[in-house]
Amino acid sequence: DMASSICSISDRTYAYQDFSISPVDGKIVTVYKNVETDSTSPENNTPRFRFIDPETGDWTSAVKVSDEIVNSQIYVRHSTDGKCYACFLDKTSGRIVLYSIGLEDDILPE
C-alpha cells in the first residue's frame, strides 16, 4: 500500500477537521469539531486537538481548544518555527477566531 489511514476522528462525515505537520519536529497535529452522541450537549461542536505522541506513536487524548462553537471548516497550520495555530468561524459571534495550539508537556492537562 502506498497510503493508509493514520487517524479516525469521527464516523460522521460532517465533523470538520484539519491537520498540520510541524516543519521543525514533524509532529502531526489535528484539530476537529467535537461530535457528541447527545446533540444537546454544550460540548457539542466545540474544537478539540490531538497530536501523535512521538514516544508511543499513538494519538493523545483530545484536549478542548475553546468554548466557541465551530461553524465551518477548521484550518490548522504550523509556522516556520514550529508553532501550531488553529482558525475557524465561531457560530455564536460570527467572528473568525485564531488560537495557538500549545503542545509543550508542561501546559497539557494531566
Side-chain angles (χ1 to χ4, degrees), residues 13-103:
T13 58
Y14 58 84
Y16 293 110
Q17 63 188 45
D18 194 15
F19 75 95
S20 182
I21 301 172
S22 171
V24 174
D25 61 8
K27 189 175 282 182
I28 300 172
V29 178
T30 185
V31 179
Y32 60 96
K33 179 169 79 168
N34 189 47
V35 180
E36 298 286 339
T37 304
D38 176 8
S39 63
T40 62
S41 169
E43 296 298 304
N44 204 32
N45 301 322
T46 57
R48 300 282 196 271
F49 80 89
R50 293 179 180 200
F51 63 93
I52 294 180
D53 184 321
E55 292 179 13
T56 66
D58 295 327
W59 287 95
T60 60
S61 297
V63 176
K64 186 175 176 181
V65 174
S66 72
D67 288 324
E68 278 96 2
I69 303 299
V70 176
N71 188 46
S72 60
Q73 183 63 43
I74 296 171
Y75 298 94
V76 181
R77 301 292 182 270
H78 279 85
S79 60
T80 56
D81 63 358
K83 292 182 181 162
C84 187
Y85 298 91
C87 179
F88 58 90
L89 179 65
D90 173 34
K91 185 174 185 175
T92 305
S93 69
R95 298 180 314 165
I96 296 172
V97 293
L98 175 68
Y99 282 93
S100 174
I101 305 297
L103 304 177

Coordinates of all heavy atoms in Angstrom, one line a residue, residues 13-103:
T13 N -19.5 12.3 8.7 CA -18.8 13.0 7.6 C -18.9 14.5 7.8 O -18.1 15.1 7.1 CB -19.5 12.6 6.3 OG1 -20.9 12.9 6.3 CG2 -19.3 11.1 6.0
Y14 N -19.8 15.0 8.6 CA -19.8 16.5 8.7 C -19.0 17.0 9.8 O -19.1 18.2 10.2 CB -21.3 16.9 8.9 CG -22.0 16.3 10.1 CD1 -21.8 16.9 11.3 CD2 -22.8 15.2 9.9 CE1 -22.5 16.3 12.4 CE2 -23.4 14.6 11.0 CZ -23.3 15.2 12.3 OH -23.9 14.7 13.4
A15 N -18.2 16.2 10.5 CA -17.3 16.7 11.5 C -16.1 17.4 10.9 O -15.2 16.7 10.4 CB -16.8 15.5 12.4
Y16 N -16.1 18.7 10.9 CA -15.0 19.5 10.3 C -13.7 19.1 11.1 O -13.6 19.0 12.3 CB -15.3 21.0 10.4 CG -16.4 21.4 9.6 CD1 -17.6 21.8 10.2 CD2 -16.3 21.4 8.2 CE1 -18.7 22.2 9.4 CE2 -17.4 21.8 7.4 CZ -18.5 22.2 8.0 OH -19.6 22.6 7.3
Q17 N -12.6 19.0 10.3 CA -11.3 18.8 10.9 C -10.2 19.2 9.9 O -10.4 19.3 8.7 CB -11.1 17.3 11.2 CG -11.2 16.4 10.0 CD -11.3 14.9 10.5 OE1 -12.0 14.6 11.4 NE2 -10.5 14.1 9.8
D18 N -9.0 19.4 10.4 CA -7.8 19.7 9.6 C -6.6 19.2 10.4 O -6.7 18.9 11.6 CB -7.7 21.2 9.3 CG -6.7 21.5 8.2 OD1 -6.4 20.6 7.4 OD2 -6.4 22.7 8.1
F19 N -5.5 19.1 9.7 CA -4.3 18.7 10.4 C -3.1 19.4 9.8 O -3.2 20.0 8.7 CB -4.0 17.2 10.3 CG -3.6 16.7 9.0 CD1 -2.2 16.5 8.7 CD2 -4.5 16.4 8.0 CE1 -1.8 16.1 7.5 CE2 -4.1 15.9 6.8 CZ -2.7 15.8 6.5
S20 N -2.0 19.4 10.5 CA -0.8 20.1 10.0 C 0.4 19.3 10.6 O 0.4 18.7 11.6 CB -0.7 21.5 10.5 OG 0.5 22.2 10.0
I21 N 1.5 19.3 9.8 CA 2.8 18.6 10.2 C 3.8 19.7 10.5 O 4.1 20.6 9.6 CB 3.2 17.7 9.1 CG1 2.2 16.6 8.9 CG2 4.6 17.0 9.5 CD1 2.4 15.7 7.7
S22 N 4.4 19.7 11.7 CA 5.4 20.7 12.0 C 6.7 20.6 11.2 O 7.2 19.5 11.0 CB 5.8 20.5 13.5 OG 6.9 21.3 13.8
P23 N 7.1 21.7 10.6 CA 8.4 21.6 9.8 C 9.6 21.5 10.7 O 10.7 21.2 10.2 CB 8.4 23.0 9.1 CG 7.6 23.9 10.0 CD 6.6 23.0 10.7
V24 N 9.5 21.7 12.0 CA 10.6 21.6 12.9 C 10.9 20.2 13.4 O 12.0 19.6 13.3 CB 10.4 22.6 14.1 CG1 11.5 22.4 15.1 CG2 10.4 24.0 13.6
D25 N 9.8 19.5 14.0 CA 10.0 18.2 14.5 C 9.1 17.1 13.9 O 9.1 16.0 14.4 CB 9.8 18.3 16.1 CG 8.4 18.7 16.5 OD1 7.5 18.8 15.6 OD2 8.1 18.9 17.7
G26 N 8.3 17.5 12.9 CA 7.5 16.5 12.2 C 6.2 16.1 13.0 O 5.5 15.1 12.6
K27 N 5.9 16.7 14.1 CA 4.8 16.4 14.9 C 3.5 16.7 14.1 O 3.3 17.7 13.6 CB 4.8 17.1 16.2 CG 3.7 16.7 17.2 CD 3.8 17.4 18.5 CE 5.0 16.8 19.3 NZ 5.2 17.4 20.6
I28 N 2.6 15.7 14.1 CA 1.3 15.8 13.4 C 0.2 16.2 14.4 O 0.1 15.5 15.4 CB 0.9 14.5 12.7 CG1 2.0 14.1 11.7 CG2 -0.4 14.6 12.1 CD1 1.8 12.7 11.1
V29 N -0.4 17.3 14.1 CA -1.5 17.9 15.0 C -2.8 17.9 14.2 O -2.8 18.3 13.0 CB -1.1 19.3 15.5 CG1 -2.2 19.9 16.3 CG2 0.2 19.3 16.2
T30 N -3.9 17.5 14.8 CA -5.2 17.6 14.2 C -6.1 18.4 15.1 O -6.0 18.2 16.4 CB -5.8 16.2 13.9 OG1 -7.0 16.4 13.2 CG2 -6.1 15.4 15.1
V31 N -6.9 19.2 14.5 CA -8.0 19.9 15.3 C -9.3 19.6 14.6 O -9.4 19.6 13.4 CB -7.7 21.5 15.3 CG1 -8.8 22.2 16.0 CG2 -6.4 21.8 15.9
Y32 N -10.3 19.3 15.4 CA -11.6 18.9 14.8 C -12.8 19.4 15.7 O -12.6 19.8 16.8 CB -11.7 17.4 14.7 CG -11.5 16.7 16.0 CD1 -12.6 16.2 16.7 CD2 -10.3 16.4 16.6 CE1 -12.5 15.6 17.9 CE2 -10.1 15.7 17.8 CZ -11.3 15.3 18.4 OH -11.1 14.7 19.6
K33 N -13.9 19.4 15.1 CA -15.2 19.8 15.8 C -15.7 18.6 16.5 O -15.9 17.5 16.0 CB -16.2 20.2 14.7 CG -17.5 20.6 15.4 CD -18.4 21.3 14.4 CE -19.1 20.4 13.4 NZ -20.2 21.1 12.7
N34 N -15.8 18.8 17.9 CA -16.3 17.7 18.7 C -17.7 17.3 18.3 O -18.6 18.1 18.1 CB -16.3 18.1 20.2 CG -16.5 17.0 21.1 OD1 -16.0 15.9 21.0 ND2 -17.4 17.2 22.1
V35 N -17.9 16.0 18.2 CA -19.3 15.5 17.8 C -19.7 14.5 18.9 O -19.2 13.4 19.0 CB -19.3 14.8 16.4 CG1 -20.7 14.3 16.1 CG2 -18.8 15.8 15.4
E36 N -20.6 15.0 19.8 CA -21.1 14.1 20.8 C -22.3 13.3 20.4 O -23.0 13.7 19.4 CB -21.5 15.0 22.0 CG -20.4 15.8 22.7 CD -19.4 14.9 23.5 OE1 -19.8 13.8 23.9 OE2 -18.3 15.4 23.7
T37 N -22.5 12.2 21.0 CA -23.7 11.4 20.7 C -25.0 12.2 21.0 O -26.0 12.2 20.3 CB -23.7 10.1 21.5 OG1 -22.5 9.4 21.2 CG2 -24.9 9.3 21.1
D38 N -25.0 12.9 22.1 CA -26.1 13.8 22.5 C -26.0 15.1 21.9 O -25.1 15.9 22.3 CB -26.1 13.9 24.1 CG -27.2 14.8 24.6 OD1 -28.1 15.2 23.8 OD2 -27.2 15.1 25.8
S39 N -26.8 15.4 20.9 CA -26.7 16.7 20.2 C -27.0 17.9 21.0 O -26.7 19.0 20.6 CB -27.6 16.7 19.0 OG -28.9 16.6 19.3
T40 N -27.6 17.7 22.2 CA -27.9 18.9 23.1 C -26.7 19.2 24.1 O -26.8 20.1 24.8 CB -29.2 18.6 23.9 OG1 -28.9 17.4 24.8 CG2 -30.4 18.3 23.0
S41 N -25.7 18.4 24.0 CA -24.6 18.6 24.9 C -23.9 20.0 24.6 O -23.7 20.3 23.5 CB -23.5 17.5 24.7 OG -22.3 17.8 25.4
P42 N -23.6 20.7 25.7 CA -22.9 22.0 25.5 C -21.5 21.8 24.9 O -20.9 22.8 24.4 CB -22.9 22.6 26.9 CG -23.0 21.5 27.8 CD -23.8 20.5 27.1
E43 N -21.0 20.6 25.0 CA -19.6 20.3 24.5 C -19.7 20.0 23.0 O -18.7 19.9 22.3 CB -19.0 19.2 25.2 CG -18.7 19.5 26.7 CD -17.7 20.6 26.8 OE1 -16.6 20.5 26.3 OE2 -18.1 21.6 27.5
N44 N -20.9 19.8 22.4 CA -21.0 19.5 21.0 C -20.5 20.7 20.2 O -20.9 21.8 20.4 CB -22.5 19.2 20.7 CG -22.7 18.3 19.6 OD1 -21.8 17.5 19.3 ND2 -23.8 18.5 18.8
N45 N -19.8 20.3 19.1 CA -19.3 21.3 18.1 C -18.2 22.2 18.6 O -17.9 23.2 17.9 CB -20.4 22.1 17.5 CG -21.4 21.1 16.8 OD1 -21.1 20.1 16.2 ND2 -22.7 21.5 17.0
T46 N -17.6 22.0 19.8 CA -16.5 22.8 20.3 C -15.2 22.2 19.7 O -15.2 21.0 19.5 CB -16.5 22.9 21.8 OG1 -16.4 21.6 22.3 CG2 -17.6 23.6 22.4
P47 N -14.2 23.0 19.5 CA -13.0 22.5 18.9 C -12.1 21.7 19.9 O -12.0 22.0 21.0 CB -12.2 23.7 18.4 CG -12.7 24.8 19.3 CD -14.1 24.4 19.7
R48 N -11.5 20.6 19.4 CA -10.6 19.8 20.1 C -9.3 19.6 19.3 O -9.3 19.7 18.1 CB -11.2 18.4 20.4 CG -12.5 18.3 21.1 CD -12.2 18.5 22.6 NE -13.3 18.1 23.4 CZ -14.3 19.0 23.8 NH1 -14.3 20.2 23.3 NH2 -15.3 18.6 24.6
F49 N -8.2 19.3 20.0 CA -7.0 18.9 19.3 C -6.4 17.6 19.8 O -6.5 17.3 21.0 CB -6.0 20.0 19.2 CG -5.1 20.3 20.4 CD1 -3.9 19.6 20.5 CD2 -5.5 21.1 21.4 CE1 -3.1 19.8 21.6 CE2 -4.7 21.4 22.5 CZ -3.5 20.7 22.6
R50 N -5.6 17.0 19.0 CA -4.8 15.8 19.3 C -3.5 15.9 18.5 O -3.5 16.5 17.5 CB -5.5 14.5 18.9 CG -6.8 14.2 19.7 CD -7.4 12.9 19.2 NE -8.6 12.6 19.9 CZ -9.1 11.4 20.0 NH1 -8.5 10.4 19.3 NH2 -10.2 11.1 20.7
F51 N -2.5 15.2 19.0 CA -1.3 15.0 18.2 C -0.7 13.6 18.5 O -1.1 12.9 19.4 CB -0.3 16.1 18.5 CG 0.2 16.1 19.9 CD1 1.4 15.4 20.3 CD2 -0.4 16.8 20.9 CE1 1.9 15.4 21.6 CE2 0.1 16.8 22.2 CZ 1.2 16.1 22.5
I52 N 0.1 13.2 17.6 CA 0.8 11.9 17.7 C 1.9 12.0 18.7 O 2.8 12.8 18.5 CB 1.2 11.3 16.4 CG1 0.0 11.1 15.5 CG2 2.0 10.1 16.5 CD1 0.3 10.5 14.1
D53 N 1.8 11.2 19.8 CA 2.9 11.1 20.8 C 4.1 10.5 20.1 O 4.1 9.4 19.7 CB 2.4 10.3 22.0 CG 3.4 10.3 23.1 OD1 4.6 10.2 22.9 OD2 3.0 10.3 24.3
P54 N 5.2 11.2 20.1 CA 6.4 10.7 19.4 C 7.0 9.5 20.1 O 7.7 8.7 19.5 CB 7.4 11.9 19.5 CG 6.9 12.8 20.5 CD 5.4 12.6 20.6
E55 N 6.7 9.3 21.4 CA 7.3 8.1 22.1 C 6.5 6.8 21.9 O 7.0 5.8 21.8 CB 7.3 8.4 23.6 CG 8.3 9.5 24.0 CD 8.3 9.8 25.5 OE1 7.8 9.0 26.3 OE2 8.9 10.8 25.9
T56 N 5.1 7.0 21.8 CA 4.3 5.8 21.6 C 3.8 5.6 20.2 O 3.4 4.5 19.8 CB 3.1 5.8 22.5 OG1 2.2 6.9 22.1 CG2 3.5 6.0 24.0
G57 N 3.8 6.7 19.4 CA 3.2 6.6 18.1 C 1.7 6.6 18.0 O 1.1 6.5 17.0
D58 N 1.1 6.8 19.2 CA -0.4 6.9 19.3 C -0.9 8.3 19.4 O -0.1 9.2 19.8 CB -0.9 6.1 20.6 CG -0.5 4.6 20.5 OD1 -0.6 4.0 19.4 OD2 -0.3 4.1 21.6
W59 N -2.2 8.5 19.1 CA -2.8 9.8 19.2 C -3.0 10.1 20.7 O -3.4 9.2 21.5 CB -4.1 9.9 18.5 CG -3.9 9.9 17.0 CD1 -3.9 8.9 16.1 CD2 -3.7 11.1 16.2 NE1 -3.7 9.3 14.9 CE2 -3.5 10.7 14.9 CE3 -3.5 12.5 16.6 CZ2 -3.3 11.6 13.9 CZ3 -3.3 13.4 15.5 CH2 -3.2 12.9 14.2
T60 N -2.8 11.3 21.1 CA -3.0 11.7 22.5 C -4.5 11.8 22.8 O -5.3 11.8 21.8 CB -2.4 13.0 22.8 OG1 -2.9 14.0 21.9 CG2 -0.9 13.0 22.7
S61 N -4.9 11.9 24.0 CA -6.3 12.2 24.3 C -6.7 13.6 23.8 O -5.8 14.4 23.7 CB -6.5 12.1 25.8 OG -6.3 10.9 26.3
A62 N -8.0 13.8 23.5 CA -8.4 15.0 23.0 C -8.3 16.1 24.1 O -8.6 15.9 25.2 CB -9.8 14.9 22.5
V63 N -7.9 17.3 23.6 CA -7.9 18.5 24.5 C -8.8 19.6 23.9 O -8.7 19.9 22.7 CB -6.4 19.0 24.7 CG1 -6.4 20.3 25.5 CG2 -5.5 17.9 25.2
K64 N -9.6 20.1 24.7 CA -10.5 21.2 24.3 C -9.7 22.5 24.0 O -8.9 22.9 24.8 CB -11.6 21.4 25.4 CG -12.6 22.4 25.0 CD -13.7 22.5 26.1 CE -14.8 23.5 25.8 NZ -15.7 23.5 26.9
V65 N -10.0 23.1 22.8 CA -9.3 24.3 22.5 C -10.0 25.5 23.1 O -9.3 26.4 23.6 CB -9.2 24.5 20.9 CG1 -8.7 25.8 20.5 CG2 -8.5 23.3 20.3
S66 N -11.3 25.6 23.0 CA -12.1 26.7 23.4 C -13.5 26.3 23.6 O -13.9 25.2 23.3 CB -11.9 27.9 22.5 OG -12.6 27.6 21.3
D67 N -14.3 27.3 24.1 CA -15.8 27.1 24.2 C -16.6 27.6 23.0 O -17.8 27.4 22.9 CB -16.3 27.9 25.4 CG -15.8 27.2 26.7 OD1 -15.8 26.0 26.8 OD2 -15.6 27.9 27.7
E68 N -15.9 28.2 22.0 CA -16.6 28.6 20.8 C -17.2 27.4 20.1 O -16.8 26.3 20.2 CB -15.7 29.3 19.8 CG -15.4 30.8 20.2 CD -14.2 31.0 20.9 OE1 -13.4 30.0 21.2 OE2 -13.9 32.1 21.3
I69 N -18.3 27.7 19.3 CA -18.9 26.7 18.5 C -18.4 26.8 17.1 O -18.5 27.8 16.4 CB -20.5 26.9 18.5 CG1 -21.0 26.8 20.0 CG2 -21.2 25.8 17.7 CD1 -20.8 25.6 20.7
V70 N -17.8 25.7 16.6 CA -17.3 25.7 15.2 C -18.4 25.8 14.2 O -19.3 24.9 14.2 CB -16.4 24.4 15.0 CG1 -16.0 24.4 13.5 CG2 -15.3 24.4 15.9
N71 N -18.4 26.8 13.4 CA -19.5 27.0 12.4 C -19.1 26.4 11.0 O -20.0 25.9 10.3 CB -19.8 28.5 12.2 CG -21.0 28.7 11.4 OD1 -22.0 28.1 11.5 ND2 -20.9 29.6 10.4
S72 N -17.9 26.4 10.7 CA -17.4 26.0 9.4 C -16.0 25.4 9.5 O -15.5 25.2 10.6 CB -17.5 27.1 8.4 OG -16.6 28.1 8.8
Q73 N -15.4 25.1 8.4 CA -14.1 24.4 8.3 C -13.1 25.0 9.3 O -13.0 26.2 9.5 CB -13.6 24.6 6.9 CG -12.3 23.8 6.6 CD -12.4 22.3 6.8 OE1 -13.4 21.7 6.4 NE2 -11.5 21.7 7.5
I74 N -12.3 24.1 9.8 CA -11.2 24.5 10.7 C -9.9 24.4 9.8 O -9.8 23.6 9.0 CB -11.1 23.4 11.8 CG1 -12.3 23.5 12.7 CG2 -9.8 23.7 12.6 CD1 -12.4 22.4 13.7
Y75 N -9.1 25.4 10.1 CA -7.8 25.4 9.4 C -6.7 25.3 10.5 O -6.7 26.0 11.5 CB -7.6 26.7 8.6 CG -8.6 26.8 7.5 CD1 -9.8 27.5 7.8 CD2 -8.5 26.2 6.3 CE1 -10.8 27.6 6.8 CE2 -9.4 26.3 5.3 CZ -10.6 27.0 5.6 OH -11.6 27.0 4.6
V76 N -5.7 24.4 10.2 CA -4.6 24.2 11.1 C -3.3 24.4 10.3 O -3.1 23.8 9.3 CB -4.6 22.8 11.8 CG1 -3.4 22.7 12.8 CG2 -5.9 22.6 12.5
R77 N -2.4 25.2 10.9 CA -1.1 25.4 10.2 C 0.0 25.6 11.2 O -0.2 26.1 12.3 CB -1.1 26.7 9.3 CG -2.2 26.7 8.2 CD -1.9 25.6 7.1 NE -2.9 25.7 6.1 CZ -4.0 25.0 6.1 NH1 -4.3 24.2 7.0 NH2 -4.8 25.0 5.0
H78 N 1.2 25.2 10.8 CA 2.4 25.5 11.6 C 3.2 26.6 11.0 O 3.2 26.7 9.7 CB 3.3 24.2 11.6 CG 2.9 23.2 12.6 ND1 2.0 22.2 12.3 CD2 3.3 22.9 13.9 CE1 1.8 21.4 13.4 NE2 2.6 21.8 14.3
S79 N 3.8 27.5 11.8 CA 4.7 28.5 11.3 C 6.0 27.9 11.1 O 6.3 26.7 11.4 CB 4.8 29.6 12.3 OG 5.3 29.2 13.6
T80 N 6.9 28.6 10.5 CA 8.2 28.0 10.1 C 9.0 27.7 11.4 O 9.9 26.8 11.3 CB 9.1 29.0 9.2 OG1 9.1 30.2 9.9 CG2 8.4 29.2 7.9
D81 N 8.7 28.3 12.5 CA 9.4 27.9 13.8 C 8.7 26.8 14.6 O 9.1 26.5 15.7 CB 9.6 29.2 14.6 CG 8.3 29.8 15.1 OD1 7.2 29.3 14.7 OD2 8.3 30.8 15.9
G82 N 7.7 26.2 14.0 CA 7.1 25.0 14.6 C 5.9 25.3 15.5 O 5.3 24.4 16.0
K83 N 5.5 26.6 15.6 CA 4.3 26.9 16.4 C 3.0 26.5 15.6 O 3.0 26.7 14.4 CB 4.2 28.4 16.8 CG 5.3 28.7 17.8 CD 5.3 30.1 18.2 CE 6.4 30.4 19.2 NZ 6.7 31.8 19.3
C84 N 2.0 26.0 16.3 CA 0.8 25.5 15.7 C -0.3 26.4 16.0 O -0.5 26.9 17.1 CB 0.5 24.1 16.2 SG -0.9 23.3 15.3
Y85 N -1.1 26.7 14.9 CA -2.3 27.6 15.0 C -3.5 27.0 14.4 O -3.4 26.2 13.5 CB -2.0 28.9 14.3 CG -0.8 29.7 14.9 CD1 0.4 29.5 14.4 CD2 -1.0 30.5 16.0 CE1 1.5 30.2 14.9 CE2 0.1 31.2 16.5 CZ 1.3 31.0 16.0 OH 2.4 31.7 16.5
A86 N -4.7 27.3 15.0 CA -6.0 26.8 14.5 C -6.9 28.0 14.3 O -6.9 28.9 15.2 CB -6.6 25.8 15.5
C87 N -7.6 28.0 13.2 CA -8.5 29.1 12.9 C -9.8 28.6 12.4 O -9.9 27.6 11.7 CB -7.9 30.0 11.8 SG -8.9 31.4 11.3
F88 N -10.9 29.2 12.9 CA -12.3 28.8 12.5 C -13.2 29.9 12.7 O -13.0 30.9 13.4 CB -12.7 27.5 13.2 CG -12.7 27.6 14.7 CD1 -13.9 28.1 15.4 CD2 -11.6 27.3 15.4 CE1 -13.9 28.2 16.7 CE2 -11.6 27.4 16.8 CZ -12.8 27.9 17.5
L89 N -14.4 29.8 12.2 CA -15.5 30.8 12.4 C -16.4 30.3 13.5 O -16.9 29.2 13.6 CB -16.4 30.9 11.1 CG -17.5 31.8 11.1 CD1 -17.1 33.3 11.3 CD2 -18.4 31.7 9.9
D90 N -16.5 31.2 14.5 CA -17.3 31.0 15.7 C -18.8 31.2 15.3 O -19.2 32.3 14.9 CB -16.9 31.9 16.9 CG -17.9 31.8 18.1 OD1 -18.4 30.6 18.3 OD2 -18.1 32.8 18.7
K91 N -19.6 30.2 15.5 CA -21.0 30.2 15.1 C -21.8 31.3 15.9 O -22.7 31.9 15.4 CB -21.7 28.9 15.2 CG -23.1 28.8 14.7 CD -23.6 27.4 14.8 CE -25.0 27.3 14.2 NZ -25.5 25.9 14.1
T92 N -21.5 31.4 17.2 CA -22.2 32.3 18.1 C -22.0 33.8 17.8 O -22.9 34.5 17.6 CB -21.9 32.0 19.6 OG1 -22.1 30.6 19.8 CG2 -22.7 32.8 20.5
S93 N -20.7 34.2 17.7 CA -20.4 35.6 17.5 C -20.3 36.0 16.0 O -20.3 37.1 15.7 CB -19.1 35.9 18.2 OG -18.0 35.3 17.6
G94 N -20.0 35.0 15.1 CA -19.8 35.3 13.7 C -18.4 35.8 13.5 O -18.0 36.2 12.4
R95 N -17.5 35.7 14.5 CA -16.1 36.2 14.4 C -15.2 35.0 13.9 O -15.4 33.9 14.3 CB -15.6 36.8 15.7 CG -16.4 38.0 16.1 CD -15.8 38.5 17.4 NE -15.6 37.4 18.4 CZ -14.8 37.5 19.5 NH1 -14.3 38.6 19.8 NH2 -14.7 36.4 20.2
I96 N -14.2 35.4 13.2 CA -13.1 34.4 13.0 C -12.2 34.4 14.2 O -11.7 35.5 14.6 CB -12.3 34.8 11.7 CG1 -13.2 34.7 10.5 CG2 -11.1 33.9 11.5 CD1 -12.6 35.3 9.2
V97 N -11.9 33.2 14.7 CA -11.0 33.1 15.9 C -9.7 32.4 15.5 O -9.8 31.5 14.7 CB -11.7 32.5 17.1 CG1 -12.8 33.4 17.6 CG2 -12.3 31.1 16.7
L98 N -8.7 32.8 16.2 CA -7.3 32.2 15.9 C -6.8 31.8 17.3 O -6.7 32.6 18.2 CB -6.4 33.1 15.2 CG -5.0 32.7 15.0 CD1 -4.9 31.5 14.0 CD2 -4.1 33.8 14.5
Y99 N -6.4 30.5 17.4 CA -5.8 30.0 18.6 C -4.4 29.4 18.3 O -4.2 28.8 17.3 CB -6.6 28.9 19.2 CG -7.8 29.4 19.9 CD1 -9.0 29.6 19.3 CD2 -7.7 29.8 21.3 CE1 -10.1 30.1 20.0 CE2 -8.8 30.3 21.9 CZ -10.0 30.5 21.3 OH -11.1 31.0 21.9
S100 N -3.5 29.6 19.3 CA -2.2 29.0 19.3 C -2.4 27.6 20.0 O -3.0 27.6 21.1 CB -1.1 29.8 20.0 OG 0.1 29.1 20.1
I101 N -2.0 26.6 19.4 CA -2.1 25.2 20.0 C -0.8 24.9 20.7 O 0.2 24.7 20.1 CB -2.4 24.2 18.9 CG1 -3.7 24.6 18.1 CG2 -2.6 22.8 19.5 CD1 -4.9 24.7 18.9
G102 N -0.9 24.9 22.0 CA 0.3 24.6 22.9 C 0.5 23.1 23.0 O -0.4 22.4 23.5
L103 N 1.6 22.6 22.6 CA 1.9 21.2 22.7 C 3.0 20.8 23.7 O 3.3 19.7 23.9 CB 2.4 20.7 21.3 CG 1.4 20.9 20.2 CD1 2.0 20.5 18.9 CD2 0.1 20.3 20.4

